[in-house]
Amino acid sequence: DTAVSQTPKYLVTQMGNDKSIKCEQNLGHDTMYWYKQDSKKFLKIMFSYNNKELIINETVPNRFSPKSPDKAHLNLHINSLELGDSAVYFCASSQGVQPNQPQHFGDGTRLSIL
Amino acid sequence: QKEVEQDPGPLSVPEGAIVSLNCTYSNSAFQYFMWYRQYSRKGPELLMYTYSSGNKEDGRFTAQVDKSSKYISLFIRDSQPSDSATYLCAMNDNSKLTFGKGITLSVRP
């Protein structure tokens, strides 16, 4: 059983398009995250939601808009895609926001902008 | 200076070697220190977690934190080919996780 699942696994699209990535977790966690991992493997947080409320927004361009319809889902919509958006996007979840709570990651969505 | 610096690698060792992976950091507010392992085409998975200074051992893995030097290490004893992966240190200051850049380890049979 996949704990944190993301769709799609791969996304290849043209510059200027709008795309969405979906994430679902079946761990019963109440906190979810989006991370971006660049080509050099540097993993950086973008957003965090706790009980469907946005709690972290790390200087991410307005073109990126997260949405959490319920505690088990966190989606990421990206408008007007740019070349620099090419990366692997990881969703993660944890039980609460306490720093000692481990985060469980999905296997990523590989986004390539042509 | 980045908040978390990690030895860039890559690192290649023979099977059975002892591996030492290191990170330094600048933010004194970091209190929770983690090591994540990431296999190719997979998400990171938590390997070790320590709070404040000290050592923690789990099988072949030992995590060490020295807050006075702002230095953390992960030691892998009797390394195996299955340990080949990217290792990322991560730290939390009560607000968010900050990751190092990761080091790719290859253990040769």
Side-chain angles (χ1 to χ4, degrees):
Chain A
D1 287 344
T2 305
V4 181
S5 58
Q6 300 178 225
T7 53
K9 290 188 187 307
Y10 299 92
L11 191 50
V12 181
T13 189
Q14 302 270 3
M15 215 164 51
N17 283 352
D18 303 338
K19 290 292 178 187
S20 291
I21 308 171
K22 296 188 175 185
C23 179
E24 176 182 5
Q25 53 94 5
N26 63 5
L27 296 166
H29 290 166
D30 56 9
T31 306
M32 295 185 73
Y33 311 81
W34 277 114
Y35 285 86
K36 179 180 180 181
Q37 189 172 46
D38 62 24
S39 57
K40 296 181 180 176
K41 299 276 190 179
F42 188 47
L43 190 63
K44 193 164 190 265
I45 190 162
M46 300 172 70
F47 302 103
S48 174
Y49 272 75
N50 177 250
N51 283 317
K52 302 193 297 173
E53 279 194 37
L54 180 67
I55 55 171
I56 293 176
N57 183 343
E58 283 287 304
T59 57
V60 178
N62 292 342
R63 299 182 295 105
F64 291 79
S65 50
K67 191 168 183 179
S68 180
D70 56 60
K71 288 197 301 184
H73 296 85
L74 181 62
N75 304 323
L76 183 65
H77 186 76
I78 316 171
N79 289 324
S80 304
L81 281 157
E82 300 178 356
L83 290 175
D85 298 332
S86 294
V88 183
Y89 292 85
F90 286 99
C91 177
S93 72
S94 65
Q95 184 52 49
V97 298
Q98 293 78 10
N100 62 344
Q101 293 299 316
Q103 294 185 18
H104 298 258
F105 285 79
D107 284 338
T109 295
R110 281 151 186 83
L111 175 62
S112 296
I113 311 301
L114 304 177
Chain B
Q1 181 191 10
K2 287 200 189 305
E3 278 192 296
V4 180
E5 300 273 7
Q6 186 169 1
D7 293 343
L11 185 61
S12 179
V13 301
E15 185 174 353
I18 297 174
V19 176
S20 171
L21 308 175
N22 309 297
C23 287
T24 58
Y25 63 94
S26 57
N27 185 351
S28 300
F30 287 139
Q31 295 186 55
Y32 300 86
F33 304 91
M34 295 135 201
W35 286 94
Y36 280 80
R37 178 176 61 194
Q38 185 177 17
Y39 290 114
S40 180
R41 303 256 166 210
K42 293 290 186 181
E45 56 178 335
L46 183 65
L47 193 59
M48 297 283 287
Y49 155 73
T50 52
Y51 171 69
S52 200
S53 283
N55 290 0
K56 185 173 183 178
E57 191 173 316
D58 184 1
R60 296 184 295 109
F61 299 88
T62 300
Q64 195 173 77
V65 173
D66 181 348
K67 287 191 74 179
S68 62
S69 304
K70 297 192 177 69
Y71 191 89
I72 73 169
S73 298
L74 177 71
F75 298 97
I76 308 174
R77 288 184 299 281
D78 187 25
S79 55
Q80 303 294 308
S82 59
D83 296 328
S84 298
T86 296
Y87 290 80
L88 304 110
C89 61
M91 307 177 190
N92 200 316
D93 61 355
N94 271 336
S95 65
K96 65 181 187 291
L97 263 187
T98 300
F99 283 85
K101 272 193 150 185
I103 183 170
T104 298
L105 171 67
S106 175
V107 181
R108 308 186 301 271

